[in-house]
């Protein structure tokens, strides 16, 4: 157990953030009710070709669960599958126009929530928080 009070405070804050800002909680706030919306963040974040296996790994779920999430996203019209021309057994996951729009709406809602939370902060405080939080995330293991 760490005796550093600041480390303990960071840990408590991170637990609180995780509970309040889980993907599902954010999705509910944005009117997105299904867990298939988690797939959209994975595809966007990958910045390249994404498979169901990549979704499973990114979401820390097993392959059958990832397949169900992807199928739900496809059914919702947010994602489409494209055959890999080099390997017919593999399908790439691609955002549809509706998926891109849903991500934009989600990003806007998240940023609005963050703006509200920091409304009383100075521009310098927001800049410092952004810098430190970005550094923290970059240095976190795993």
């Amino acid at each position: 157990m760490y005796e550093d009070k600041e480390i303990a405070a960071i840990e408590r804050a991170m637990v609180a953030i995780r509970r309040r800002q889980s993907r599902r909680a954010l999705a509910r706030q944005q009117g997105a009710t299904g867990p298939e919306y988690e797939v959209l963040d994975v595809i966007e974040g990958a910045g390249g070709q994404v498979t169901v296996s990549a979704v499973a790994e990114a979401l820390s779920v097993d392959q059958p669960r990832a397949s169900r999430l992807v199928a739900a996203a496809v059914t919702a019209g947010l994602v489409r599958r494209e055959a890999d021309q080099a390997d017919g057994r593999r399908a790439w996951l691609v955002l549809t126009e509706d998926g891109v729009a849903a991500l934009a709406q989600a990003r806007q809602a998240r940023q609005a929530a963050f703006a509200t939370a920091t409304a009383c902060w100075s521009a310098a405080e927001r800049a410092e928080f952004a810098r430190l939080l970005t550094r923290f995330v970059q240095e976190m293991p795993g």
Side-chain angles (χ1 to χ4, degrees):
M1 177 109 176
Y2 287 95
E3 299 203 16
D4 185 322
K5 291 178 184 177
E6 285 76 21
I7 295 295
I10 291 169
E11 186 265 340
R12 285 190 304 275
M14 294 304 294
V15 168
I17 288 171
R18 187 182 74 229
R19 287 182 182 145
R20 290 184 198 164
Q21 300 297 311
S22 72
R23 285 186 173 114
R24 287 199 181 113
L26 286 170
R28 280 193 301 274
Q29 291 170 8
Q30 299 153 16
T33 57
E36 67 273 10
Y37 277 75
E38 296 177 20
V39 174
L40 305 182
D41 284 327
V42 173
I43 295 171
E44 180 188 47
Q49 298 174 320
V50 177
T51 62
V52 173
S53 296
V55 170
E57 183 178 336
L59 297 179
S60 298
V61 298
D62 61 20
Q63 188 80 20
R65 173 77 176 142
S67 292
R68 288 190 298 275
L69 291 171
V70 168
V74 169
T75 299
L78 303 170
V79 173
R80 72 176 180 274
R81 297 175 195 262
E82 290 185 355
D84 180 352
Q85 299 304 313
D87 182 350
R89 298 169 292 173
R90 182 176 20 215
W92 301 117
L93 304 175
V94 178
L95 295 173
T96 63
E97 285 185 31
D98 287 347
V100 171
L103 271 173
Q105 180 182 4
R107 190 176 301 105
Q108 183 177 20
R110 287 189 298 250
Q111 289 179 12
F114 302 149
T116 298
T118 60
C120 296
W121 297 17
S122 70
E125 288 171 321
R126 281 192 304 277
E128 181 68 0
F129 181 70
R131 184 187 71 76
L132 290 172
L133 185 58
T134 300
R135 180 177 167 194
F136 177 79
V137 169
Q138 289 170 343
E139 294 179 8
M140 277 292 291

